[in-house]
Structures are given as structure tokens and as C-alpha cells.
Amino acid sequence: SRPVDMVEVFRKSEDLYKIAEEAIEIGAKVLWSQIGVINYEAARIAEDAGLKVVMNRCPKIELFRPFWKPRLDLKI
């Protein structure tokens, strides 16, 4: 099996704790939950195990943000 860099979560907030435990178990490096998915206890156990944690964010938005340029000429 190959190493897991990031576990991305599209589930209910209450499911995040169990997923964090599983991410720790498989040696993931990052636990990332989508917009609206927040569980501070899950974040705590993941961070305590050495994972980076991002909650309530969309990777597509965050990872490409530095490359976006505003289009001020567009009409509203």
C-alpha cells in the first residue's frame, strides 16, 4: 500500500472524530475537513498525533487561491 498524504472529509461533523482516529492509524499527514465540517476534539487528537489539521475549508479554493487574479472588469 502507498502512504496517505491527506484525508479529505466530506461527512457530518460528528463523523470527523472517528475519521481522525482512522487517519492517525494509517499514518496520514493531513486531516482536512470541508466547509461546514468542524469537530475540535477530532482536530485535537489529530494534532496531538502529529497531523496537520485544516477544518471548514475547501482545498480547491485554498490551494489555488495564490494563483487567482481578480477580474475587476467584470460586470456584477
Side-chain angles (χ1 to χ4, degrees), residues 5-71:
D5 292 323
M6 181 171 85
V7 173
E8 185 178 358
V9 183
F10 288 86
R11 302 278 296 273
K12 295 177 184 177
S13 295
E14 56 265 24
D15 295 337
L16 191 54
Y17 191 91
K18 178 67 174 153
I19 295 167
E21 290 178 324
E22 293 172 358
I24 293 164
E25 189 175 309
I26 65 171
K29 296 176 182 144
V30 177
L31 177 66
W32 190 311
S33 69
Q34 275 290 322
I35 295 170
V37 182
I38 302 167
N39 184 314
Y40 295 108
E41 284 299 303
R44 184 188 55 77
I45 66 163
E47 287 175 346
D48 287 351
L51 281 76
K52 302 257 190 253
V53 176
V54 180
M55 286 192 306
N56 196 32
R57 297 275 187 259
C58 173
K60 183 175 181 180
I61 293 169
E62 299 302 324
L63 295 175
F64 290 98
R65 189 181 298 276
F67 305 103
W68 288 349
K69 296 191 179 2
R71 294 281 314 272

